[in-house]
Amino acid sequence: MPVELTHKQRVRRCVTWQPYDRVPIYPPVGFDPIARAEGPPAPWQQDEHYREVAELVARHCVLEGRYRCAGGAFSRAYMLIPDEYIEHLPPETRGEHHFRATIVHTPKGDLRTVSRTDRTIATTWMIEPLVKCAADAEAMLSVPFEPDLPDPEPFLAERRAWGERGLIELGVSTPLVCASHIMPFDLFLEWTASNRPLVERMIATVFERIYLRLEHLLQAGAIECIWLGGSEQATPPMMSPEFYRELVVRYDGRLIELAKRHGALVHIHCHGKVNDVLELMMAMGADMTDPVEPPPDGDVDFADAKRRCRRKLVLMGNIEFRHIEFADRAQIDEMVRRAVCE
């Protein structure tokens, strides 16, 4: 083993259970040192203190390049329907708030959604959901789908540019969250019990579209790691482990199998109470999961989880963002000691 590993070597050795020089440090916020064609940085990313931290992260942490939507090919916003059916209206600004209305033209009528962003906050709020009733869901399912396979070259070019500085991950939302995201979450939860056939049709439809595009990129050798996010919506207390098995494992498991067949790593991003689904993640073949939250945010005893997941699933996290914000140095040192050593 080299005396000093690169960021990429370190994380690959870690997730494949080979010797490595030190525990990889994974930053809670994406600090991307490579300019990306995803629009200008947010105001908070231009703050001098943020840039100071970003420089430290670049030296000491596992850097993570992320293609969240890959030019829309994996966007969770509209069930991956063709762009020609989506019409974004001109944005409106009211004080600190920016609003964007979007119309989706379907064979069964137009649907409308409105989102809001604030100038200094990296969060998008859904003010008006796209799907408000079962008829709206049927309208979304009626939109014809023609495969529009993403060009692998931008992914390959970024991997070349990134080199050994970190890991490039393709951000893919679990099919379940692609269905839930376009409607009020309480309505989605209600439908998982009262209108399960419709929910399963929505999830299966998105799954097929994700699978087709993901397979194309993997076959081209463009993807080294899949970031699969959103399955916390099917963990307790929202759903039982049995529901997680039926609505997540059934679909995510096949995406993970596809990725592993082509030599890609799989990173499951799943907040909340995941203690009862860690074995399901391992059964699917995932390589790593974050943020593995302790109580009260989650329900994971890290020492116990490490014993259960040893040599099967790498655990990332257990130190919360709020700890980094408000704990003092001695408290952080103790949290790190417990996470690594116990």
Side-chain angles (χ1 to χ4, degrees), residues 18-66:
Q18 300 178 60
Y20 51 93
D21 54 353
R22 61 175 173 83
V23 175
I25 306 170
Y26 193 88
V29 174
F31 295 90
D32 189 343
I34 292 181
R36 305 283 286 281
E38 296 179 354
W44 57 272
Q45 291 174 307
Q46 301 176 53
D47 183 275
E48 61 177 307
H49 301 295
Y50 175 90
R51 297 314 311 166
E52 181 181 351
V53 173
E55 291 174 6
L56 290 171
V57 167
R59 289 202 298 269
H60 300 290
C61 295
V62 174
L63 303 183
E64 171 213 36
R66 175 80 54 76

Side-chain angles (χ1 to χ4, degrees), residues 114-168:
V114 179
S115 63
R116 191 196 91 203
T117 57
D118 291 351
R119 190 181 67 84
T120 59
I121 301 175
T123 297
T124 300
W125 288 271
M126 182 188 296
I127 305 303
E128 178 182 340
L130 187 68
V131 168
K132 307 170 184 67
C133 62
D136 291 346
E138 293 289 356
M140 284 297 293
L141 289 168
S142 74
V143 176
F145 177 73
E146 296 180 4
D148 183 15
L149 300 178
D151 180 6
E153 181 52 35
F155 299 86
L156 293 166
E158 182 148 349
R159 286 185 64 178
R160 291 191 294 268
W162 199 264
E164 291 296 315
R165 286 177 288 182
L167 196 66
I168 300 292

Side-chain angles (χ1 to χ4, degrees), residues 160-221:
R160 291 191 294 268
W162 199 264
E164 291 296 315
R165 286 177 288 182
L167 196 66
I168 300 292
E169 295 188 329
L170 173 67
V172 178
S173 291
T174 175
L176 176 141
V177 84
C178 292
S180 68
H181 181 72
I182 60 175
M183 68 179 74
F185 188 52
D186 56 348
L187 179 62
F188 178 77
L189 290 177
E190 178 186 327
W191 282 4
T192 60
S194 66
N195 202 346
R196 176 65 73 85
L198 178 58
V199 168
E200 292 187 350
R201 282 173 55 212
M202 295 175 72
I203 295 174
T205 296
V206 176
F207 162 78
E208 292 170 1
R209 297 170 182 178
I210 292 174
Y211 192 98
L212 185 68
R213 293 171 176 177
L214 185 57
E215 183 178 44
H216 173 70
L217 292 175
L218 288 165
Q219 287 175 342

